[in-house]
Amino acid sequence: MSKKMKISYLINLIGVILLYLAMTFVFDNGVLGAKTTYITGIAIIAMMTIIIVCSLNLLTGYMGEFSLGHAGFMSTGAFSSAAVTIAMLEAHIALPTLLYFIIAILVGGLFSALMGFVVGIPALRLRGDYLAIVTVAFAEIVRVAFTNFPITGGGKTLSGIPKVSDYHYIFWVTVICVTLMYMYIRSRFGRAVIAIREDYIAAAASGINVTRYKVMTFVLSAFFAGVAGGIYSHYMTAIIPTFFNFMKSSEFLTMVILGGSGSLTGSIIGAAVLASLPEALRDFSIYRMLIYSVVLVIVMIFKPSGIFGTWEFSLPRIIFKLFGKKEAKGGAAK
Amino acid sequence: MSLFVQSIINGLNQGAVYALVALGYTMVYGILRMINFAHSDFIMVGSYTLFYTIPLMVAAGMPAWLSVVVAIAVCVVVGVTVEQVAYKPVRGAGSMSALITALAMSLFLENLALVLFGANPKSVPEIFSLPTLKVLGITLPSKYLVTLAIGILIMFGLHVFIKKTTLGKAMRAVPEDKQASTLVGINVNRVITTTFAIGSGLAAVAALMYCSTYPRCTTEMGTMLGIKSFIAAVLGGIGSIPGAMIGGIVIGLLEIFIKVYLAPGWYEAITYSILIVVLLVKPAGIMGKNVGEKV
């Protein structure tokens, strides 16, 4: 590891910590007055959306395959984690909230990853449109299943989930998730995945195991979507299967595409802005999807790669530029 | 026994609707290789048109089903507009852009309807005031027969149109090779627009058939109907007109039978699993021909 890379990592770490301190300061001291709780809620939803949109970008932006069923992965994560923590509560297992939270998101992530594996297998033979429609079908199967299983509420709202998500934990989980995804993309695996997107036949010819990488990316993407689901259910405390519908999946895809497929920065900003916008402008919420769809068509016609394209934000790069040093490579997102 | 026959009748009725919607998907997919997600919302547009025009028709002393003419006109206009405004500019940009644009148009139509008509479901007035026949404990609403007859008639007409007419031949030529079609004097843009017009018109007829059985329209009524019909199109073999018919009927019958005999809560899951199984085992569908992917 070169010295410059170490410095880059350090700068990123400091940046993240500063962001965290700023957020804690604002939320804990009630700088925003009476609206603090409300704004905190928006921030939590935004961070959760960031995780799921980034995970979808792994598939759409980097692997070039669609998932129109990401709400299904999120649903799997939300319900499986809720089922486990409710069972733990009923068994009177007294644990600190942090542990509860970690167990919840891990369970959610793992169950969802399992689902990702199951969906990843048809993905071996299918591409493009057909795969997109298979993911829709999958998300619908998940919805029907959770509507029928008694352990997931049997079609009614599943309530009584312990409220263990709070913004301190969620912030760090978001940071970790985004960093992991960023590292995955920048790694050997990530480059192989991008090669598959560009031309899978050429990738296979150069010795990349297309099958393995496709399934691996599906599993990873599903894992993070499941983590987001776990966060969601333990923040809302009551969830219903019909919430995770086709509309929700399309909304996530909209965020990925608008932000820029192939840019995690784009996903983060897209998710944060588009998730908090309807909350900020309540009267506008009915026109929200209408405007998104128009913007989506315009973006598709004029700049198909999305607003940020494949550009990534890098804090070290800016700092090195400011202080006149040579441009640094690497540096985590956010 | 009577339950069995009853299920077959209900299944055929349901299947005819799926088949007609599947036709719309199959035609567009056959020519452009894109899933027209907005097709399901054309049905919604058609249903709302029916809801608003039937009272006018009845007041004018005309039969209610004549509103389908208005619905067809509205759907054709909407369909062609969507094609011209949104799909045409991204046609050369690859399947990813096409898919996203289609999805965006679907979201657009759905949310426009939400803004225009509100979230409350509207109940469509009776379309066919025909008697219900009762034979040996089996209820057979005559409108089911009408639905089925319309479905078969359209299917047959379309099949002849595609096979025999010049325009139909052009429609078959364009997906084979766009450049070569242009060379032999086919106006590719016009053929594509015509396909969209026919597909959207079919959506209006499907709306009529759907609303005669389930007289309720909501802004998202098309979504699930659309996906199931697409499954029917895939099952039958995408691009094939008889395939759409067979696929639709099979899905309709299966859904009703699973609902009645096996697991009422799970019938939708089974429909979706069929898609996955078909795509894995025989991606070309029942009637489709197997086309290898070009490098």
Side-chain angles (χ1 to χ4, degrees):
Chain A
M1 192 186 275
S2 71
K3 199 183 158 203
K4 201 191 269 166
M5 266 179 93
K6 276 185 194 158
I7 297 175
S8 298
Y9 284 131
L10 196 66
I11 292 173
N12 280 321
L13 191 65
I14 294 171
V16 168
I17 290 174
L18 282 180
L19 193 67
Y20 174 70
L21 290 178
M23 196 181 76
T24 322
F25 175 75
V26 170
F27 290 158
D28 281 356
N29 295 330
V31 176
L32 301 163
K35 276 182 135 184
T36 307
T37 340
Y38 176 61
I39 306 256
T40 314
I42 296 176
I44 289 176
I45 293 295
M47 286 190 283
M48 180 211 80
T49 317
I50 286 175
I51 299 180
I52 193 160
V53 171
C54 285
S55 78
L56 182 56
N57 204 351
L58 280 189
L59 284 182
T60 310
Y62 296 98
M63 201 166 77
E65 295 291 3
F66 277 100
S67 168
L68 283 172
H70 237 57
F73 291 130
M74 189 183 166
S75 178
T76 311
F79 278 96
S80 56
S81 63
V84 167
T85 47
I86 287 176
M88 278 164 64
L89 268 192
E90 276 167 4
H92 298 289
I93 301 173
L95 286 174
T97 11
L98 179 62
L99 264 179
Y100 253 106
F101 180 70
I102 291 174
I103 291 173
I105 60 172
L106 280 183
V107 166
L110 288 177
F111 267 93
S112 183
L114 195 69
M115 281 292 168
F117 184 71
V118 174
V119 186
I121 290 171
L124 305 180
R125 287 190 57 173
L126 305 168
R127 312 190 62 237
D129 297 353
Y130 277 133
L131 183 59
I133 209 88
V134 162
T135 54
V136 176
F138 154 76
E140 285 304 310
I141 293 173
V142 166
R143 182 181 60 78
V144 172
F146 286 157
T147 316
N148 283 295
F149 290 145
I151 195 167
T152 54
K156 290 193 280 291
T157 311
L158 178 68
S159 53
I161 307 166
K163 186 163 184 148
V164 291
S165 292
D166 86 349
Y167 72 90
H168 299 279
Y169 304 158
I170 297 172
F171 179 83
W172 288 111
V173 169
T174 311
V175 168
I176 292 168
C177 286
V178 172
T179 313
L180 283 178
M181 282 186 253
Y182 188 81
M183 282 159 67
Y184 177 70
I185 289 158
R186 283 298 175 103
S187 69
R188 193 160 62 87
F189 308 113
R191 286 195 297 275
V193 168
I194 292 170
I196 292 171
R197 175 191 69 188
E198 295 301 328
D199 190 332
Y200 77 104
I201 295 171
S206 10
I208 291 171
N209 187 342
V210 175
T211 307
R212 198 178 120 217
Y213 283 105
K214 270 191 167 180
V215 174
M216 194 159 85
T217 313
F218 249 101
V219 168
L220 258 182
S221 176
F223 176 83
F224 289 118
V227 168
I231 293 175
Y232 180 79
S233 60
H234 289 82
Y235 170 67
M236 297 306 268
T237 69
I239 45 176
I240 189 157
T242 45
F243 172 81
F244 306 96
N245 53 14
F246 181 62
M247 202 53 130
K248 206 79 204 156
S249 300
S250 344
E251 215 180 307
F252 294 138
L253 189 68
T254 309
M255 293 173 186
V256 170
I257 303 295
L258 286 186
S261 45
S263 157
L264 282 184
T265 315
S267 294
I268 291 168
I269 295 175
V273 172
L274 295 185
S276 41
L277 209 59
E279 296 292 334
L281 307 158
R282 272 279 171 203
D283 303 330
F284 156 83
S285 67
I286 186 169
Y287 299 104
R288 181 175 60 115
M289 286 311 283
L290 194 62
I291 294 169
Y292 287 4
S293 52
V294 174
V295 174
L296 203 56
V297 172
I298 294 172
V299 165
M300 272 301 114
I301 294 175
F302 295 107
K303 196 173 187 306
S305 55
I307 291 167
F308 285 94
T310 52
W311 180 82
E312 295 283 8
F313 171 77
S314 157
L315 193 58
R317 197 166 60 207
I318 292 172
I319 290 176
F320 284 137
K321 254 191 186 157
L322 279 181
F323 294 97
K325 281 187 190 169
K326 245 179 92 185
E327 199 170 291
K329 270 192 176 176
K334 200 155 201 233
Chain B
M1 183 60 201
S2 72
L3 183 66
F4 182 77
V5 179
Q6 186 74 58
S7 306
I8 289 188
I9 292 170
N10 292 345
L12 284 177
N13 182 55
Q14 183 90 21
V17 177
Y18 286 152
L20 213 54
V21 183
L23 261 187
Y25 279 107
T26 255
M27 288 189 73
V28 171
Y29 195 93
I31 204 158
L32 281 180
R33 298 272 165 245
M34 72 177 271
I35 303 175
N36 181 16
F37 277 103
H39 188 72
S40 54
D41 299 290
F42 297 161
I43 297 162
M44 181 265 297
V45 171
S47 304
Y48 273 95
T49 316
L50 288 176
F51 169 74
Y52 283 107
T53 50
I54 287 178
L56 298 178
M57 280 288 168
V58 172
M62 281 187 276
W65 59 267
L66 262 183
S67 355
V68 77
V69 179
V70 186
I72 290 176
V74 171
C75 281
V76 168
V77 170
V78 172
V80 171
T81 315
V82 165
E83 196 266 331
Q84 290 289 324
V85 173
Y87 295 169
K88 202 174 168 190
V90 298
R91 207 180 281 155
S95 66
M96 185 145 162
S97 302
L99 193 70
I100 295 168
T101 314
L103 193 66
M105 281 326 290
S106 168
L107 291 177
F108 175 76
L109 288 176
E110 247 168 68
N111 287 284
L112 186 67
L114 196 65
V115 171
L116 290 179
F117 309 126
N120 289 335
K122 303 262 193 285
S123 85
V124 180
E126 184 80 46
I127 296 172
F128 301 112
S129 44
L130 295 169
T132 299
L133 309 173
K134 273 199 191 244
V135 188
L136 306 166
I138 301 157
T139 350
L140 174 62
S142 349
K143 62 184 178 192
Y144 281 19
L145 294 177
V146 177
T147 312
L148 208 59
I150 296 175
I152 293 172
L153 212 65
I154 287 182
M155 218 67 69
F156 188 70
L158 211 57
H159 191 67
V160 172
F161 173 75
I162 298 277
K163 290 282 173 208
K164 302 285 177 199
T165 64
T166 323
L167 194 59
K169 273 182 197 154
M171 279 179 176
R172 279 181 294 142
V174 171
E176 294 278 331
D177 193 329
K178 265 193 194 141
Q179 269 100 28
S181 315
T182 318
L183 267 182
V184 296
I186 296 169
N187 186 341
V188 172
N189 281 335
R190 215 183 60 204
V191 169
I192 290 174
T193 311
T194 316
T195 312
F196 264 88
I198 296 175
S200 321
L202 288 176
V205 181
L208 176 84
M209 287 158 64
Y210 185 80
C211 289
S212 72
T213 316
Y214 307 99
R216 238 164 67 96
C217 47
T218 60
T219 54
E220 66 239 349
M221 61 184 285
T223 315
M224 284 306 121
L225 178 64
I227 293 172
K228 284 182 194 166
S229 305
F230 186 78
I231 295 174
V234 172
L235 176 66
I238 201 121
S240 147
I241 289 173
M245 181 87 185
I246 294 171
I249 299 285
V250 169
I251 297 278
L253 284 173
L254 261 178
E255 277 206 343
I256 298 289
F257 271 90
I258 289 164
K259 215 193 284 192
V260 172
Y261 287 103
L262 282 172
W266 288 90
Y267 74 98
E268 285 186 302
I270 309 266
T271 312
Y272 297 119
S273 328
I274 290 174
L275 172 82
I276 298 174
V277 171
V278 169
L279 285 180
L280 285 180
V281 178
K282 196 174 186 299
I286 300 172
M287 302 286 286
K289 46 184 188 277
N290 223 332
V291 187
E293 201 171 343
K294 285 179 200 148
V295 177

